Amino acid sequence: MKKDQAIKIEPKQTFPLTIKRLGINGEGVGYFKRQVVFVPGALPGEEVVVEATKINPKFAEARIKKIRKKSPYRVAPPCPVFEQCGGCQLQHLKYERQLVEKRDIVLQSLERHTKLNLNEIDVRPMIGMEDPWAYRNKSSFQVGVEKGKVLAGLYGLNSHKLINIEQCAVQHSATTDATLKVRQILQDLHIPIYNEKSRKGIVRTIVTRVGIQSEELQVVLITTQKDIPKKELLIEEIKKRLPGVKSIVQNINGERTSLIFGKETATLAGSDFIQETLGDLQFELSARTFFQLNPVQTVKLYDEVKKASELSGVEKVVDAYCGVGTIGLWVARQAGEIRGMDIIPESIEDAKKNAARHGIKHANYVTGKAEEWLPKWTKEGWWPDVVIVDPPRTGLDGKLLDTLLKVKPKKIVYVSCNPSTLARDIQTLSKEFKVEYIQPVDMFPQTAHVECVSQMILR
């Protein structure tokens, strides 16, 4: 970096800033002396006075000291711990406007990571939620102790302070109610709570999940060891105070890790799983099964996948990153054959069971990576017409991108939860595929997360 290009902002410097747009993490983005400045809590169109908190070579971070000109879309966040918790980033922005700004995040990603002409890409208006609150069907709250009181909540934004959460605006009320009652039982029975510093104690995390359609409730206690003092009494109390509980499970994680679940799981009472319904499909959700956190919007998302696939009843469809088979089963009745793969063997077992339960005989599931199975199948003369991909936030594996460019399916339907990696992968695939359209879907209202379904056609 040349001397004259070096950053001119000093730590703790105060300066005025006009916010131009939202960043990918929901923060306001402005420019001071041609330098990018990220300001959490600031909204596009606002004029603010900020104080620099962190200086990086390519950007600065700052906090709001004063809002000189407020956005007309700014609202009071309903959550009392909105600013400390960091779980939601956009409760202070009117919901209708969240949809506009989040679509803009998709456009920004395409501008930054592709060389494509944006005028030729149809980025559609975002599909929102009728009621954008209390939608999350699962919560994982860490437990801790402060002044003899058991807390349950999330670690604060950029800190290791546990924020006790009594109510959460985006959680289904049944999950919050269950967490609070289990927290109280742990307090009443004096069951040792895990302390990260001393690495002593037993209960680390309370995970609760509700079937939005079935209303079945599951409680999972993550513990450092198998033995829990007063285990029988604990189970009895959970059943008594949560009469609707269908499944009580223990998962053991004694590792020093930020991962919630350990390898060993045991059912303490009731069933191993709860039921959930999506459209006309039923799923059994065990403690560690991945399942979409917002089933209401999941139906809309999967319907968009079905639309983008444009199936007529004869196509060969690959469901890469298939998990328990949800997306493939959603489109199966319109397809000639479904083949799905995932690297987690338990997910493949669940996918097979789910297909059998719904009488879908033309779906086959294998353990492994798409980049390994696709070349094998094409060698055998089986060529996919449509490949559906739903990768993690990191996007598609480089080898899979190469494989798709070689195999050349007629259509790729890309389900993405990260606009930046989506744009990067679109740029790579654009050698052989044209983006017909991108349909954003708001899976996580009040947060900066953006989900998209992209239809890509072989050139």
Side-chain angles (χ1 to χ4, degrees):
M1 191 183 266
K2 289 181 193 156
K3 264 248 157 86
D4 60 345
Q5 282 180 314
I7 190 150
K8 301 178 178 75
I9 300 170
E10 299 289 326
K12 296 210 166 167
Q13 185 179 340
T14 301
F15 51 92
L17 200 66
T18 299
I19 304 300
K20 300 290 186 194
R21 54 188 170 82
L22 275 190
I24 197 135
N25 300 311
E27 66 286 80
V29 181
Y31 295 87
F32 182 70
K33 297 186 175 175
R34 293 169 48 188
Q35 196 62 53
V36 181
V37 184
F38 294 111
V39 188
L43 295 173
E46 291 190 327
E47 291 171 14
V48 290
V49 177
V50 301
E51 179 186 20
T53 54
K54 206 170 174 188
I55 311 296
N56 292 295
K58 291 187 174 172
F59 62 90
E61 293 173 35
R63 66 178 183 88
I64 300 173
K65 288 197 81 175
K66 187 178 164 198
I67 301 176
R68 282 183 177 166
K69 183 186 158 199
K70 236 181 217 183
S71 163
Y73 305 108
R74 182 179 276 275
V75 291
C79 174
V81 292
F82 167 64
E83 286 180 5
Q84 296 101 55
C85 164
C88 299
Q89 302 83 41
L90 299 177
Q91 281 191 20
H92 61 314
L93 178 60
K94 212 180 216 172
Y95 185 58
E96 291 68 31
R97 195 67 196 174
Q98 288 182 29
L99 300 178
V100 173
E101 297 296 350
K102 284 165 84 163
R103 176 182 176 272
D104 187 60
I105 288 174
V106 179
L107 292 169
Q108 287 176 48
S109 297
L110 291 167
E111 264 171 6
R112 197 173 304 124
H113 301 289
T114 75
K115 298 183 175 76
L116 304 176
N117 181 351
L118 291 198
N119 298 325
E120 289 173 11
I121 300 180
D122 175 12
V123 180
R124 297 179 175 176
M126 184 170 245
I127 296 170
M129 209 175 172
E130 286 74 29
D131 176 9
W133 301 99
Y135 57 82
R136 283 179 66 102
N137 60 1
K138 182 182 180 183
S139 74
S140 306
F141 281 5
Q142 309 303 321
V143 283
V145 178
E146 196 176 85
K147 297 177 185 161
K149 188 172 179 257
V150 178
L151 313 179
L154 300 171
Y155 288 114
L157 200 55
N158 306 324
S159 86
H160 221 64
K161 182 172 165 34
L162 190 63
I163 307 293
N164 193 43
I165 296 174
E166 297 288 336
Q167 60 179 90
C168 174
V170 294
Q171 279 296 146
H172 189 289
S173 59
T175 64
T176 310
D177 176 57
T179 304
L180 295 180
K181 283 182 175 154
V182 173
R183 183 187 77 183
Q184 190 59 47
I185 294 165
L186 296 173
Q187 175 97 44
D188 294 348
L189 298 180
H190 302 291
I191 289 173
I193 302 301
Y194 180 66
N195 179 312
E196 264 199 327
K197 281 189 184 140
S198 68
R199 299 201 68 202
K200 292 190 169 76
I202 292 170
V203 182
R204 295 174 80 133
T205 312
I206 302 166
V207 178
T208 57
R209 174 144 63 179
V210 64
I212 302 277
Q213 299 296 330
S214 68
E215 297 184 343
E216 292 181 355
L217 177 69
Q218 181 176 62
V219 171
V220 186
L221 292 173
I222 314 282
T223 60
T224 53
Q225 60 182 53
K226 192 169 185 173
D227 296 328
I228 307 175
K230 305 178 193 165
K231 188 188 270 188
E232 295 312 313
L233 196 51
L234 172 65
I235 294 165
E236 285 315 305
E237 281 300 314
I238 293 175
K239 283 196 220 163
K240 194 163 88 188
R241 297 191 209 183
L242 290 167
V245 74
K246 170 96 192 295
S247 168
I248 305 173
V249 175
Q250 178 188 7
N251 174 272
I252 299 153
N253 185 357
E255 303 293 312
R256 202 169 203 157
T257 173
S258 58
L259 295 175
I260 291 173
F261 281 93
K263 290 187 175 75
E264 198 184 329
T265 306
T267 301
L268 301 180
S271 172
D272 297 344
F273 52 80
I274 58 171
Q275 298 276 355
E276 183 56 303
T277 305
L278 280 185
D280 58 358
L281 299 177
Q282 278 81 42
F283 295 96
E284 291 178 350
L285 310 181
S286 58
R288 295 190 61 190
T289 305
F290 169 77
F291 195 73
Q292 292 281 4
L293 293 168
N294 183 345
V296 173
Q297 290 298 89
T298 300
V299 169
K300 295 180 191 174
L301 180 79
Y302 289 177
D303 278 346
E304 287 305 318
V305 172
K306 195 184 275 185
K307 243 183 251 175
S309 302
E310 294 176 325
L311 303 173
S312 65
V314 296
E315 289 83 3
K316 298 185 185 89
V317 179
V318 166
D319 179 10
Y321 305 91
C322 71
V324 298
T326 31
I327 291 182
L329 297 177
W330 198 262
V331 302
R333 306 221 186 269
Q334 284 79 36
E337 185 186 351
I338 302 276
R339 291 191 182 186
M341 68 283 282
D342 201 286
I343 54 170
I344 300 167
E346 295 83 17
S347 293
I348 291 301
E349 286 312 304
D350 284 346
K352 287 175 181 172
K353 280 182 206 156
N354 286 332
R357 190 183 310 123
H358 293 97
I360 293 165
K361 295 185 169 69
H362 60 298
N364 296 296
Y365 292 99
V366 290
T367 306
K369 296 179 176 180
E371 57 269 26
E372 287 158 10
W373 280 102
L374 279 171
K376 247 183 233 177
W377 290 337
T378 53
K379 235 179 224 164
E380 292 162 10
W382 191 91
W383 293 80
D385 300 297
V386 180
V387 175
I388 300 169
V389 292
D390 183 8
R393 288 188 64 76
T394 45
L396 296 179
D397 184 280
K399 285 181 187 154
L400 180 53
L401 288 165
D402 292 343
T403 304
L404 290 169
L405 290 168
K406 281 187 196 116
V407 171
K408 296 187 176 71
K410 291 172 194 154
K411 200 176 283 143
I412 295 172
V413 178
Y414 190 143
V415 185
S416 159
C417 58
N418 182 346
S420 299
T421 53
L422 170 67
R424 181 202 70 198
D425 291 347
I426 279 175
Q427 177 58 37
T428 306
L429 291 168
S430 65
K431 296 177 199 128
E432 300 287 352
F433 296 89
K434 177 182 184 292
V435 180
E436 280 295 305
Y437 69 85
I438 297 175
Q439 175 62 70
V441 179
D442 194 20
M443 295 292 284
F444 300 103
Q446 320 309 330
T447 79
H449 289 289
V450 183
E451 201 97 8
C452 293
V453 175
S454 309
Q455 187 196 59
M456 305 177 75
I457 307 285
L458 189 63
R459 290 183 189 280

